[in-house]
Amino acid sequence: MTTENFISKNIQANFTTGSVSWQSPSNIALVKYWGKYGEQLPKNTSISFTLSNCHTKTKLHYTPSNTHKFEFEVYLDGQRAESFEPKILKFFERIEVYMPFLKQFKFRIETGNSFPHSSGIASSASGMSALALCLMSLERLTNSDITDEYFYAKASFLARLGSGSACRSIQGPLVVWGEHPVLPGSSQLIGTTLPFEIHDNFKDYCDTILLVDQGEKVVSSTVGHDLMHNHPFAEQRFNQANQNFEAILEVLKTGDFDKFISIVESEALSLHAMMMTSEPYFLLMKPNTLSIIHKIWEFRRETSSKICFTLDAGANVHVLYPNAEKEEVSRFIENELAVFCENGKYIHDVVGIGAKVLL
Ligand code: DP6
């Protein structure tokens, strides 16, 4: 598979006016992507659980246009969101080579997230994947020969060009991004699902997102990935992630909870360690992040729970646990962890199967 495969072919020029809509989920990485090169290519293989309740809904209205320019407006929750437009323009410029018909339309992009805008949950994965899927629905209208396999592969390819981790938000329940020798079919260009059945222990896994800090991100992902260039521990980190990926694949087959916990927590802390040891350095955890981690460890020591945590590039904590423990863990979160969340807020989510078209 090369980038050539994703250049639109056989476009029929019978453009009309209409709209298409998709709902696309966020995802949470178990082995993290942190460091990229070239045109949004990952330095190591990553794997994530696809979420379901945290999602973006996007409606793309299109009208034929002959201005030969990119023409679009973005609306967030019904309000014009001009601050999003430079990012979308950059995305359109990047994908134009793969979708040469883009300038033949004027677009109105209406989008909204299921989670609050200021929750500290990144909307780029769900937002970029929803937009990529809408654009693929439009491409399909111009070319009815497109297979489902190509449709989803190209949606993931385009989403990656908008935001790396977005390529893992098209399908589910687990998506790999980045070529790895132990997994034939894995790719630098797109997210792919696992070619084997995962162990029952990891089916319907739960993720409760504790909103420790609902502010804007301290370090944008662009700045964060850049910190990995000339980072003294970069190569070791990429090797560690690739080894953790290989190990977690085994765990997903065998159902080994303890190994799962140690890989997932180590990945979260390694990601933060990279930011603490970069130049300039950043500390993205808050005191409450640490209090939550200690509470989770204590709970695990005192009970037979298989609860664990992971982190994104911020202070919020994702609490992961098997569906079978839902009741006890929900009680623990409400009684002992909610106090560390801003305004006591958290979001219960569960692993899902990916994006869906909205009619
Ligand atoms: C910490 O996908 O947001 O969430 O490619 O620059 O858009 P860009 O970065 P982004 O990085 C996400 C990094 C992460 C880990 C992960 O999701 O794998």
Side-chain angles (χ1 to χ4, degrees):
M1 188 194 309
T2 66
T3 53
E4 282 284 301
N5 295 95
F6 296 108
I7 299 176
S8 307
K9 291 178 196 79
N10 308 330
I11 297 165
Q12 292 126 31
N14 55 346
F15 297 145
T16 54
T17 295
S19 67
V20 285
S21 303
W22 279 87
Q23 172 178 313
S24 192
S26 186
N27 68 72
I28 181 66
L30 304 172
V31 173
K32 309 289 180 182
Y33 147 60
W34 199 244
K36 59 180 168 181
Y37 67 95
E39 200 173 45
Q40 295 276 96
L41 300 169
K43 284 293 229 170
N44 63 262
T45 309
S46 59
I47 181 167
S48 49
F49 270 142
T50 303
L51 298 180
S52 48
N53 299 335
C54 290
H55 58 247
T56 299
K57 284 182 182 171
T58 297
K59 186 169 197 169
L60 180 74
H61 297 266
Y62 51 89
T63 317
S65 159
N66 49 21
T67 57
H68 306 288
K69 286 196 299 209
F70 289 118
E71 276 190 281
F72 65 93
E73 288 178 350
V74 181
Y75 291 79
L76 175 68
D77 300 326
Q79 301 280 333
R80 179 85 185 267
E82 283 177 81
S83 64
F84 283 28
E85 291 173 5
K87 192 165 182 197
I88 304 292
L89 178 61
K90 201 165 147 209
F91 175 57
F92 280 169
E93 285 167 351
R94 217 178 239 174
I95 65 170
E96 189 189 8
V97 55
Y98 307 106
M99 291 201 141
F101 55 84
L102 285 180
K103 282 186 181 152
Q104 298 181 46
F105 289 99
K106 179 178 163 67
F107 298 111
R108 179 186 164 99
I109 303 164
E110 291 173 4
T111 189
N113 301 322
S114 63
F115 44 89
H117 181 53
S118 59
S119 59
I121 300 178
S123 60
S124 62
S126 53
M128 282 299 175
S129 53
L131 181 56
L133 285 156
C134 288
L135 291 169
M136 281 312 294
S137 286
L138 177 62
E139 177 165 329
R140 190 169 243 177
L141 292 173
T142 71
N143 178 3
S144 50
D145 297 340
I146 290 177
T147 60
D148 279 350
E149 192 188 354
Y150 181 81
F151 182 96
Y152 289 108
K154 184 164 173 183
S156 178
F157 177 88
L158 297 173
R160 172 181 60 82
L161 294 172
S163 177
S165 58
C167 76
R168 299 189 314 239
S169 271
I170 305 286
Q171 292 177 300
L174 281 144
V175 180
V176 173
W177 173 36
E179 195 172 343
H180 197 292
V182 296
L183 193 69
S186 56
S187 165
Q188 294 291 88
L189 302 180
I190 60 170
T192 52
T193 51
L194 291 176
F196 56 84
E197 179 81 1
I198 61 163
H199 192 278
D200 280 350
N201 283 353
F202 298 112
K203 289 194 177 144
D204 305 320
Y205 230 64
C206 299
D207 177 8
T208 299
I209 307 155
L210 306 179
L211 305 179
V212 172
D213 181 9
Q214 304 187 40
E216 283 286 306
K217 278 191 180 176
V218 179
V219 181
S220 73
S221 48
T222 313
V223 172
H225 289 286
D226 269 356
L227 293 173
M228 292 304 278
H229 292 127
N230 306 316
H231 189 294
F233 309 132
E235 284 313 309
Q236 292 95 316
R237 164 61 199 150
F238 302 141
N239 288 336
Q240 176 201 37
N242 285 329
Q243 280 164 19
N244 279 340
F245 173 74
E246 189 170 347
I248 210 165
L249 276 192
E250 262 324 286
V251 165
L252 292 168
K253 287 180 194 158
T254 59
D256 184 341
F257 278 128
D258 295 332
K259 188 89 183 104
F260 177 84
I261 292 169
S262 75
I263 296 170
V264 168
E265 293 190 345
S266 161
E267 274 291 313
L269 296 177
S270 298
L271 168 71
H272 280 249
M274 286 298 109
M275 282 174 280
M276 289 161 74
T277 49
S278 58
E279 185 54 50
Y281 45 81
F282 294 94
L283 188 50
L284 301 184
M285 292 188 207
K286 290 278 158 82
N288 283 353
T289 313
L290 281 175
S291 299
I292 290 167
I293 292 174
H294 284 293
K295 280 276 174 196
I296 289 173
W297 285 347
E298 195 181 297
F299 184 73
R300 210 160 62 212
R301 264 198 313 273
E302 289 171 0
T303 67
S304 57
S305 174
K306 300 301 179 193
I307 188 174
C308 70
F309 72 87
T310 188
L311 307 165
D312 265 340
N316 292 341
V317 182
H318 287 250
V319 185
L320 300 176
Y321 48 97
N323 195 35
E325 290 187 28
K326 201 170 166 173
E327 274 173 35
E328 305 89 278
V329 173
S330 297
R331 251 196 321 274
F332 165 62
I333 289 172
E334 182 54 36
N335 296 339
E336 304 211 33
L337 303 184
V339 56
F340 299 111
C341 301
E342 216 176 310
N343 305 317
K345 284 211 185 115
Y346 56 84
I347 300 172
H348 282 306
D349 211 336
V350 62
V351 169
I353 53 164
K356 62 178 188 194
V357 70
L358 300 173
L359 299 170

Short mmCIF file of all heavy atoms in Angstrom, two decimals, residues 27-29 31-34 36 40 46 87 122 124 160 162-166 168 177 217 221-222 225 271 311-313, ligand 1:
data_model
loop_
_atom_site.label_atom_id
_atom_site.label_comp_id
_atom_site.label_asym_id
_atom_site.label_seq_id
_atom_site.Cartn_x
_atom_site.Cartn_y
_atom_site.Cartn_z
N ASN A 27 -10.66 8.06 20.87
CA ASN A 27 -10.03 6.79 21.22
C ASN A 27 -9.01 7.03 22.33
O ASN A 27 -8.59 8.16 22.54
CB ASN A 27 -9.38 6.13 19.99
CG ASN A 27 -8.18 6.90 19.46
OD1 ASN A 27 -7.11 6.92 20.07
ND2 ASN A 27 -8.34 7.57 18.31
N ILE A 28 -8.66 5.96 23.04
CA ILE A 28 -7.65 6.10 24.09
C ILE A 28 -6.53 5.09 23.82
O ILE A 28 -6.77 3.88 23.72
CB ILE A 28 -8.26 5.94 25.52
CG1 ILE A 28 -7.18 6.11 26.57
CG2 ILE A 28 -9.02 4.62 25.71
CD1 ILE A 28 -6.56 7.48 26.67
N ALA A 29 -5.32 5.63 23.69
CA ALA A 29 -4.18 4.77 23.34
C ALA A 29 -3.72 3.97 24.54
O ALA A 29 -3.62 4.48 25.66
CB ALA A 29 -3.04 5.63 22.81
N VAL A 31 -0.86 1.80 23.93
CA VAL A 31 0.55 2.07 23.60
C VAL A 31 0.53 3.36 22.81
O VAL A 31 -0.20 3.48 21.82
CB VAL A 31 1.18 0.90 22.80
CG1 VAL A 31 2.59 1.27 22.34
CG2 VAL A 31 1.20 -0.36 23.64
N LYS A 32 1.28 4.34 23.28
CA LYS A 32 1.11 5.72 22.81
C LYS A 32 1.90 6.07 21.57
O LYS A 32 3.05 5.64 21.40
CB LYS A 32 1.55 6.70 23.91
CG LYS A 32 0.94 6.46 25.28
CD LYS A 32 -0.52 6.83 25.34
CE LYS A 32 -1.11 6.58 26.72
NZ LYS A 32 -2.54 6.88 26.79
N TYR A 33 1.30 6.90 20.76
CA TYR A 33 1.96 7.56 19.62
C TYR A 33 2.47 8.90 20.14
O TYR A 33 1.70 9.73 20.62
CB TYR A 33 0.90 7.74 18.53
CG TYR A 33 0.99 8.97 17.63
CD1 TYR A 33 2.12 9.21 16.85
CD2 TYR A 33 -0.07 9.87 17.54
CE1 TYR A 33 2.18 10.32 16.00
CE2 TYR A 33 -0.03 10.97 16.70
CZ TYR A 33 1.10 11.19 15.94
OH TYR A 33 1.15 12.30 15.11
N TRP A 34 3.77 9.09 20.09
CA TRP A 34 4.35 10.36 20.55
C TRP A 34 5.67 10.52 19.81
O TRP A 34 6.67 9.95 20.20
CB TRP A 34 4.55 10.36 22.07
CG TRP A 34 4.70 11.72 22.66
CD1 TRP A 34 5.81 12.23 23.31
CD2 TRP A 34 3.72 12.77 22.69
NE1 TRP A 34 5.57 13.52 23.71
CE2 TRP A 34 4.30 13.88 23.35
CE3 TRP A 34 2.41 12.90 22.20
CZ2 TRP A 34 3.63 15.08 23.54
CZ3 TRP A 34 1.74 14.09 22.39
CH2 TRP A 34 2.34 15.17 23.06
N LYS A 36 6.67 11.97 15.52
CA LYS A 36 6.30 11.69 14.13
C LYS A 36 7.32 12.28 13.18
O LYS A 36 8.16 13.09 13.58
CB LYS A 36 4.91 12.25 13.83
CG LYS A 36 4.75 13.76 14.04
CD LYS A 36 3.33 14.22 13.71
CE LYS A 36 3.05 15.62 14.18
NZ LYS A 36 1.70 16.07 13.89
N GLN A 40 3.03 13.21 8.67
CA GLN A 40 2.20 12.57 9.70
C GLN A 40 2.42 11.06 9.78
O GLN A 40 1.44 10.30 9.81
CB GLN A 40 0.71 12.85 9.41
CG GLN A 40 0.34 14.30 9.52
CD GLN A 40 0.04 14.68 10.95
OE1 GLN A 40 0.88 15.20 11.66
NE2 GLN A 40 -1.17 14.41 11.38
N SER A 46 1.37 2.23 17.56
CA SER A 46 0.50 2.50 18.71
C SER A 46 -0.78 1.66 18.55
O SER A 46 -1.08 1.17 17.45
CB SER A 46 0.14 3.99 18.79
OG SER A 46 -0.51 4.43 17.62
N LYS A 87 -7.11 25.42 10.83
CA LYS A 87 -6.74 24.00 10.93
C LYS A 87 -7.40 23.19 9.80
O LYS A 87 -6.79 22.30 9.21
CB LYS A 87 -7.14 23.46 12.31
CG LYS A 87 -6.54 22.12 12.58
CD LYS A 87 -6.58 21.66 14.00
CE LYS A 87 -5.88 20.30 14.06
NZ LYS A 87 -6.14 19.53 15.24
N ALA A 122 -9.44 15.83 24.08
CA ALA A 122 -9.10 16.31 22.74
C ALA A 122 -10.19 15.91 21.77
O ALA A 122 -10.62 14.76 21.75
CB ALA A 122 -7.77 15.72 22.32
N SER A 124 -9.71 16.36 18.51
CA SER A 124 -9.14 16.27 17.16
C SER A 124 -9.33 14.86 16.57
O SER A 124 -9.59 14.74 15.38
CB SER A 124 -7.69 16.70 17.15
OG SER A 124 -6.92 15.87 17.96
N ARG A 160 -5.73 10.69 9.38
CA ARG A 160 -4.34 10.78 9.86
C ARG A 160 -3.69 12.09 9.44
O ARG A 160 -2.93 12.70 10.20
CB ARG A 160 -3.52 9.60 9.30
CG ARG A 160 -2.02 9.70 9.59
CD ARG A 160 -1.26 8.53 9.00
NE ARG A 160 -1.38 8.41 7.56
CZ ARG A 160 -0.65 9.11 6.69
NH1 ARG A 160 0.26 9.97 7.08
NH2 ARG A 160 -0.85 8.94 5.38
N GLY A 162 -5.15 14.81 9.10
CA GLY A 162 -5.71 15.89 9.93
C GLY A 162 -5.13 15.85 11.34
O GLY A 162 -4.73 16.88 11.90
N SER A 163 -5.04 14.67 11.92
CA SER A 163 -4.47 14.47 13.25
C SER A 163 -4.08 13.00 13.35
O SER A 163 -4.93 12.13 13.09
CB SER A 163 -5.50 14.82 14.32
OG SER A 163 -4.97 14.56 15.60
N GLY A 164 -2.84 12.72 13.69
CA GLY A 164 -2.34 11.34 13.66
C GLY A 164 -3.28 10.34 14.31
O GLY A 164 -3.73 9.37 13.69
N SER A 165 -3.63 10.59 15.57
CA SER A 165 -4.42 9.60 16.31
C SER A 165 -5.83 9.45 15.74
O SER A 165 -6.50 8.46 16.04
CB SER A 165 -4.49 9.97 17.80
OG SER A 165 -5.04 11.25 17.95
N ALA A 166 -6.27 10.39 14.90
CA ALA A 166 -7.61 10.30 14.31
C ALA A 166 -7.75 9.08 13.40
O ALA A 166 -8.86 8.56 13.20
CB ALA A 166 -7.93 11.58 13.54
N ARG A 168 -7.05 6.23 14.10
CA ARG A 168 -7.46 5.09 14.92
C ARG A 168 -8.92 5.22 15.38
O ARG A 168 -9.37 4.44 16.22
CB ARG A 168 -6.54 4.96 16.15
CG ARG A 168 -5.05 4.70 15.83
CD ARG A 168 -4.30 4.36 17.12
NE ARG A 168 -4.68 5.32 18.14
CZ ARG A 168 -3.86 6.14 18.80
NH1 ARG A 168 -2.56 6.06 18.58
NH2 ARG A 168 -4.32 6.99 19.68
N TRP A 177 -1.92 1.49 14.68
CA TRP A 177 -1.38 2.39 13.65
C TRP A 177 0.14 2.32 13.72
O TRP A 177 0.72 2.52 14.80
CB TRP A 177 -1.86 3.83 13.90
CG TRP A 177 -1.22 4.85 12.99
CD1 TRP A 177 -0.87 4.68 11.68
CD2 TRP A 177 -0.86 6.19 13.33
NE1 TRP A 177 -0.32 5.84 11.18
CE2 TRP A 177 -0.30 6.78 12.18
CE3 TRP A 177 -0.95 6.95 14.51
CZ2 TRP A 177 0.17 8.10 12.17
CZ3 TRP A 177 -0.49 8.26 14.49
CH2 TRP A 177 0.06 8.83 13.32
N LYS A 217 -5.34 22.65 26.64
CA LYS A 217 -4.13 21.84 26.80
C LYS A 217 -2.92 22.74 27.05
O LYS A 217 -2.76 23.75 26.36
CB LYS A 217 -3.87 21.08 25.51
CG LYS A 217 -4.64 19.83 25.34
CD LYS A 217 -4.01 19.12 24.16
CE LYS A 217 -4.64 17.83 23.83
NZ LYS A 217 -4.02 17.28 22.61
N SER A 221 -0.53 19.12 20.77
CA SER A 221 0.15 17.90 20.32
C SER A 221 1.24 18.24 19.31
O SER A 221 2.28 17.57 19.27
CB SER A 221 -0.83 16.88 19.78
OG SER A 221 -1.72 17.46 18.90
N THR A 222 1.06 19.31 18.54
CA THR A 222 2.10 19.69 17.57
C THR A 222 3.40 20.00 18.31
O THR A 222 4.48 19.50 17.96
CB THR A 222 1.67 20.95 16.78
OG1 THR A 222 0.33 20.73 16.35
CG2 THR A 222 2.56 21.24 15.61
N HIS A 225 4.82 16.64 19.93
CA HIS A 225 5.53 15.73 19.01
C HIS A 225 6.87 16.32 18.61
O HIS A 225 7.85 15.59 18.46
CB HIS A 225 4.68 15.46 17.76
CG HIS A 225 3.48 14.60 18.03
ND1 HIS A 225 3.58 13.25 18.25
CD2 HIS A 225 2.17 14.90 18.13
CE1 HIS A 225 2.37 12.75 18.46
NE2 HIS A 225 1.50 13.74 18.39
N LEU A 271 5.08 8.33 28.58
CA LEU A 271 4.68 9.49 27.77
C LEU A 271 4.94 10.78 28.56
O LEU A 271 5.54 11.73 28.05
CB LEU A 271 3.19 9.36 27.41
CG LEU A 271 2.50 10.58 26.81
CD1 LEU A 271 3.00 10.83 25.39
CD2 LEU A 271 0.98 10.40 26.79
N LEU A 311 -3.12 7.90 30.71
CA LEU A 311 -3.17 9.37 30.60
C LEU A 311 -2.99 9.77 29.15
O LEU A 311 -2.32 9.07 28.39
CB LEU A 311 -2.01 9.99 31.39
CG LEU A 311 -1.86 9.58 32.85
CD1 LEU A 311 -0.48 9.99 33.37
CD2 LEU A 311 -2.96 10.22 33.70
N ASP A 312 -3.56 10.89 28.78
CA ASP A 312 -3.24 11.53 27.51
C ASP A 312 -2.19 12.59 27.81
O ASP A 312 -1.68 12.64 28.91
CB ASP A 312 -4.49 12.17 26.92
CG ASP A 312 -5.17 11.25 25.93
OD1 ASP A 312 -4.51 10.34 25.43
OD2 ASP A 312 -6.37 11.47 25.67
N ALA A 313 -1.95 13.48 26.87
CA ALA A 313 -0.96 14.53 27.12
C ALA A 313 -1.62 15.66 27.92
O ALA A 313 -1.74 16.79 27.46
CB ALA A 313 -0.41 15.03 25.80
C1 DP6 B 1 -0.83 11.57 23.64
O1 DP6 B 1 -2.90 12.70 17.29
O2 DP6 B 1 -3.23 14.66 18.81
O3 DP6 B 1 -2.92 11.24 22.56
O4 DP6 B 1 -0.81 14.04 14.94
O5 DP6 B 1 -0.13 16.21 15.95
O6 DP6 B 1 -2.57 15.69 15.64
P1 DP6 B 1 -1.17 15.14 15.91
O7 DP6 B 1 -1.19 14.52 17.36
P2 DP6 B 1 -2.30 13.72 18.15
O8 DP6 B 1 -1.39 13.03 19.28
C2 DP6 B 1 -1.97 12.23 20.23
C3 DP6 B 1 -0.99 11.76 21.19
C4 DP6 B 1 -1.54 11.04 22.41
C5 DP6 B 1 -1.23 9.55 22.33
C6 DP6 B 1 -2.04 8.73 21.36
O9 DP6 B 1 -3.25 9.03 21.16
O10 DP6 B 1 -1.49 7.77 20.84
#
